PDB file of all heavy atoms in Angstrom:
ATOM      1  N   MET B   1     -36.661  18.147  22.256  1.00  0.00           N
ATOM      2  CA  MET B   1     -36.336  19.098  21.198  1.00  0.00           C
ATOM      3  C   MET B   1     -37.125  18.759  19.945  1.00  0.00           C
ATOM      4  O   MET B   1     -37.390  17.596  19.661  1.00  0.00           O
ATOM      5  CB  MET B   1     -34.840  19.031  20.903  1.00  0.00           C
ATOM      6  CG  MET B   1     -34.281  20.331  20.393  1.00  0.00           C
ATOM      7  SD  MET B   1     -32.515  20.182  20.165  1.00  0.00           S
ATOM      8  CE  MET B   1     -32.481  19.657  18.487  1.00  0.00           C
ATOM      9  N   PHE B   3     -36.461  19.087  16.512  1.00  0.00           N
ATOM     10  CA  PHE B   3     -35.763  18.326  15.478  1.00  0.00           C
ATOM     11  C   PHE B   3     -34.405  17.909  16.014  1.00  0.00           C
ATOM     12  O   PHE B   3     -33.481  18.697  16.018  1.00  0.00           O
ATOM     13  CB  PHE B   3     -35.556  19.171  14.224  1.00  0.00           C
ATOM     14  CG  PHE B   3     -36.817  19.681  13.610  1.00  0.00           C
ATOM     15  CD1 PHE B   3     -37.084  21.037  13.552  1.00  0.00           C
ATOM     16  CD2 PHE B   3     -37.745  18.811  13.076  1.00  0.00           C
ATOM     17  CE1 PHE B   3     -38.242  21.520  12.976  1.00  0.00           C
ATOM     18  CE2 PHE B   3     -38.911  19.284  12.498  1.00  0.00           C
ATOM     19  CZ  PHE B   3     -39.157  20.638  12.453  1.00  0.00           C
ATOM     20  N   VAL B  56     -29.278  26.246   7.817  1.00  0.00           N
ATOM     21  CA  VAL B  56     -27.877  26.224   8.290  1.00  0.00           C
ATOM     22  C   VAL B  56     -27.728  25.282   9.500  1.00  0.00           C
ATOM     23  O   VAL B  56     -26.801  24.485   9.562  1.00  0.00           O
ATOM     24  CB  VAL B  56     -27.388  27.654   8.651  1.00  0.00           C
ATOM     25  CG1 VAL B  56     -26.006  27.607   9.300  1.00  0.00           C
ATOM     26  CG2 VAL B  56     -27.328  28.529   7.409  1.00  0.00           C
ATOM     27  N   GLY B  57     -28.656  25.366  10.413  1.00  0.00           N
ATOM     28  CA  GLY B  57     -28.568  24.585  11.652  1.00  0.00           C
ATOM     29  C   GLY B  57     -28.757  23.095  11.462  1.00  0.00           C
ATOM     30  O   GLY B  57     -27.998  22.295  12.017  1.00  0.00           O
ATOM     31  N   PHE B  58     -29.779  22.714  10.665  1.00  0.00           N
ATOM     32  CA  PHE B  58     -30.124  21.290  10.569  1.00  0.00           C
ATOM     33  C   PHE B  58     -29.661  20.625   9.276  1.00  0.00           C
ATOM     34  O   PHE B  58     -29.120  19.520   9.317  1.00  0.00           O
ATOM     35  CB  PHE B  58     -31.631  21.102  10.755  1.00  0.00           C
ATOM     36  CG  PHE B  58     -32.087  21.484  12.121  1.00  0.00           C
ATOM     37  CD1 PHE B  58     -32.668  22.720  12.356  1.00  0.00           C
ATOM     38  CD2 PHE B  58     -31.923  20.627  13.195  1.00  0.00           C
ATOM     39  CE1 PHE B  58     -33.074  23.098  13.631  1.00  0.00           C
ATOM     40  CE2 PHE B  58     -32.323  20.982  14.465  1.00  0.00           C
ATOM     41  CZ  PHE B  58     -32.896  22.230  14.688  1.00  0.00           C
ATOM     42  N   MET B  60     -27.332  21.858   7.158  1.00  0.00           N
ATOM     43  CA  MET B  60     -25.873  21.982   7.090  1.00  0.00           C
ATOM     44  C   MET B  60     -25.221  21.475   8.380  1.00  0.00           C
ATOM     45  O   MET B  60     -23.994  21.500   8.492  1.00  0.00           O
ATOM     46  CB  MET B  60     -25.472  23.447   6.824  1.00  0.00           C
ATOM     47  CG  MET B  60     -25.900  23.943   5.461  1.00  0.00           C
ATOM     48  SD  MET B  60     -25.637  25.705   5.231  1.00  0.00           S
ATOM     49  CE  MET B  60     -23.960  25.746   4.646  1.00  0.00           C
ATOM     50  N   ASN B  61     -26.063  21.058   9.318  1.00  0.00           N
ATOM     51  CA  ASN B  61     -25.593  20.447  10.575  1.00  0.00           C
ATOM     52  C   ASN B  61     -24.730  21.354  11.443  1.00  0.00           C
ATOM     53  O   ASN B  61     -23.999  20.858  12.303  1.00  0.00           O
ATOM     54  CB  ASN B  61     -24.798  19.164  10.275  1.00  0.00           C
ATOM     55  CG  ASN B  61     -25.696  17.960  10.377  1.00  0.00           C
ATOM     56  OD1 ASN B  61     -26.606  17.913  11.212  1.00  0.00           O
ATOM     57  ND2 ASN B  61     -25.480  16.998   9.515  1.00  0.00           N
ATOM     58  N   LEU B  62     -24.800  22.651  11.226  1.00  0.00           N
ATOM     59  CA  LEU B  62     -23.924  23.558  11.986  1.00  0.00           C
ATOM     60  C   LEU B  62     -24.251  23.529  13.477  1.00  0.00           C
ATOM     61  O   LEU B  62     -23.379  23.718  14.318  1.00  0.00           O
ATOM     62  CB  LEU B  62     -24.018  24.991  11.441  1.00  0.00           C
ATOM     63  CG  LEU B  62     -22.969  25.967  11.959  1.00  0.00           C
ATOM     64  CD1 LEU B  62     -21.566  25.530  11.549  1.00  0.00           C
ATOM     65  CD2 LEU B  62     -23.205  27.386  11.457  1.00  0.00           C
ATOM     66  N   LYS B  63     -25.515  23.258  13.789  1.00  0.00           N
ATOM     67  CA  LYS B  63     -25.942  23.193  15.186  1.00  0.00           C
ATOM     68  C   LYS B  63     -25.140  22.148  15.973  1.00  0.00           C
ATOM     69  O   LYS B  63     -24.892  22.306  17.159  1.00  0.00           O
ATOM     70  CB  LYS B  63     -27.446  22.870  15.244  1.00  0.00           C
ATOM     71  CG  LYS B  63     -28.064  22.941  16.615  1.00  0.00           C
ATOM     72  CD  LYS B  63     -29.552  22.721  16.511  1.00  0.00           C
ATOM     73  CE  LYS B  63     -30.312  22.647  17.800  1.00  0.00           C
ATOM     74  NZ  LYS B  63     -29.720  22.967  19.034  1.00  0.00           N
ATOM     75  N   PHE B  64     -24.748  21.078  15.261  1.00  0.00           N
ATOM     76  CA  PHE B  64     -24.058  19.972  15.926  1.00  0.00           C
ATOM     77  C   PHE B  64     -22.547  19.972  15.652  1.00  0.00           C
ATOM     78  O   PHE B  64     -21.857  19.037  16.000  1.00  0.00           O
ATOM     79  CB  PHE B  64     -24.675  18.639  15.471  1.00  0.00           C
ATOM     80  CG  PHE B  64     -26.170  18.630  15.578  1.00  0.00           C
ATOM     81  CD1 PHE B  64     -26.963  18.863  14.456  1.00  0.00           C
ATOM     82  CD2 PHE B  64     -26.790  18.445  16.798  1.00  0.00           C
ATOM     83  CE1 PHE B  64     -28.340  18.895  14.549  1.00  0.00           C
ATOM     84  CE2 PHE B  64     -28.174  18.472  16.900  1.00  0.00           C
ATOM     85  CZ  PHE B  64     -28.952  18.698  15.781  1.00  0.00           C
ATOM     86  N   GLU B  65     -22.075  21.036  14.995  1.00  0.00           N
ATOM     87  CA  GLU B  65     -20.645  21.111  14.668  1.00  0.00           C
ATOM     88  C   GLU B  65     -19.843  21.769  15.793  1.00  0.00           C
ATOM     89  O   GLU B  65     -20.421  22.329  16.721  1.00  0.00           O
ATOM     90  CB  GLU B  65     -20.444  21.905  13.365  1.00  0.00           C
ATOM     91  CG  GLU B  65     -20.945  21.206  12.122  1.00  0.00           C
ATOM     92  CD  GLU B  65     -20.090  20.018  11.710  1.00  0.00           C
ATOM     93  OE1 GLU B  65     -19.082  19.717  12.398  1.00  0.00           O
ATOM     94  OE2 GLU B  65     -20.447  19.371  10.714  1.00  0.00           O
ATOM     95  N   LYS B  70     -18.656  27.180  13.721  1.00  0.00           N
ATOM     96  CA  LYS B  70     -19.721  28.168  13.959  1.00  0.00           C
ATOM     97  C   LYS B  70     -19.136  29.578  13.880  1.00  0.00           C
ATOM     98  O   LYS B  70     -19.737  30.482  13.293  1.00  0.00           O
ATOM     99  CB  LYS B  70     -20.368  27.948  15.333  1.00  0.00           C
ATOM    100  CG  LYS B  70     -21.226  26.691  15.383  1.00  0.00           C
ATOM    101  CD  LYS B  70     -21.774  26.476  16.776  1.00  0.00           C
ATOM    102  CE  LYS B  70     -22.498  25.143  16.831  1.00  0.00           C
ATOM    103  NZ  LYS B  70     -22.847  24.723  18.160  1.00  0.00           N
TER     104      LYS B  70
END
Side-chain angles (χ1 to χ4, degrees):
Chain B
M1 209 177 91
F3 301 116
V56 173
F58 295 99
M60 294 172 87
N61 265 325
L62 191 63
K63 187 175 175 9
F64 310 99
E65 291 289 0
K70 289 177 186 169

